[in-house]
């Protein structure tokens, strides 16, 4: 775990991972292989900083955090992928009034959505994100110090073995 983490985080605080430049029609992703060696995971805490900005006047589309054994090797967008947990930070309304929002999915199905102001997600600065899955099958999603989903029950949740993380 520490070896993998140290490749992503430098003790001097320097460095950043860019998924996509501020150019239209781009997708990117970062895949982290199974950190538990195949052991079933019932709980985790993911903490990271994210910067969304420097785009067009109505920037799209957002980003996602997915944890599942079947996340693809390829990049995915803001909707995420896989049979496990996905948290989608969708910044762009595609015409269905579905966004801007912070969505939680399990098994590819939406569990909950919370509409937010676009300026909350697209703000041209680094903000903290925490995603905390509890052993009782509930999840917290905290963005920039605000809890958007608090101990949200994940219907039918079961431990995830061989889970990989995909940020897309």
């Amino acid at each position: 775990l520490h070896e993998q983490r140290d490749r992503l985080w430098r003790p001097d605080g320097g460095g950043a991972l860019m998924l996509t430049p501020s150019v239209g029609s781009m997708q990117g992703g970062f895949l982290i292989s199974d950190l538990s060696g195949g052991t079933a995971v019932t709980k985790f805490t993911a903490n990271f900083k994210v910067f969304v900005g420097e785009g067009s006047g109505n920037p799209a589309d957002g980003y996602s955090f997915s944890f599942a054994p079947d996340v693809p090797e390829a990049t995915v967008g803001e909707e995420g992928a896989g049979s496990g947990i996905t948290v989608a930070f969708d910044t762009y309304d595609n015409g269905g009034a579905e966004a801007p929002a912070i969505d939680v999915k399990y098994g590819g199905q939406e569990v909950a959505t919370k509409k937010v102001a676009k300026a909350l997600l697209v703000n041209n600065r680094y903000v903290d994100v925490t995603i905390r899955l509890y052993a009782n099958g509930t999840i917290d999603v905290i963005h920039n110090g605000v809890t958007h989903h608090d101990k949200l029950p994940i219907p039918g949740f079961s431990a995830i073995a061989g889970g990989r993380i995909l940020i897309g």
Side-chain angles (χ1 to χ4, degrees):
L1 176 61
H2 294 291
E3 178 183 54
Q4 182 79 14
R5 184 206 64 202
D6 290 343
R7 283 187 238 153
L8 306 176
W9 174 79
R10 292 182 9 204
D12 66 1
L17 170 69
M18 179 185 285
L19 292 180
T20 61
S22 298
V23 178
S25 301
M26 299 290 293
Q27 281 194 345
F30 183 73
L31 179 66
I32 301 171
S33 60
D34 177 10
L35 296 173
S36 69
T39 303
V41 173
T42 59
K43 61 182 179 175
F44 67 78
T45 300
N47 293 304
F48 53 95
K49 290 187 179 292
V50 65
F51 180 101
V52 179
E54 298 179 355
S56 65
N58 191 17
D61 265 312
Y63 62 98
S64 60
F65 173 96
S66 297
F67 177 70
D70 57 350
V71 293
E73 298 282 335
T75 62
V76 297
E78 77 284 0
E79 294 301 325
S83 60
I85 301 284
T86 294
V87 179
F89 299 84
D90 190 350
T91 65
Y92 188 77
D93 180 5
N94 293 305
E98 80 287 353
I102 300 173
D103 303 327
V104 175
K105 300 177 185 180
Y106 180 63
Q109 300 299 313
E110 187 174 282
V111 173
T113 187
K114 181 176 181 194
K115 301 291 176 72
V116 296
K118 187 171 208 152
L120 178 88
L121 298 175
V122 183
N123 53 28
N124 292 307
R125 60 189 171 88
Y126 284 96
V127 299
D128 292 314
V129 175
T130 298
I131 300 168
R132 187 177 301 114
L133 176 66
Y134 296 93
N136 67 357
T138 61
I139 193 169
D140 295 341
V141 179
I142 304 163
H143 179 275
N144 198 22
V146 177
T147 301
H148 294 280
H149 296 286
D150 186 16
K151 295 189 180 50
L152 173 72
I154 306 294
F157 176 76
S158 62
I160 298 171
R164 304 183 313 170
I165 297 168
L166 179 60
I167 300 174

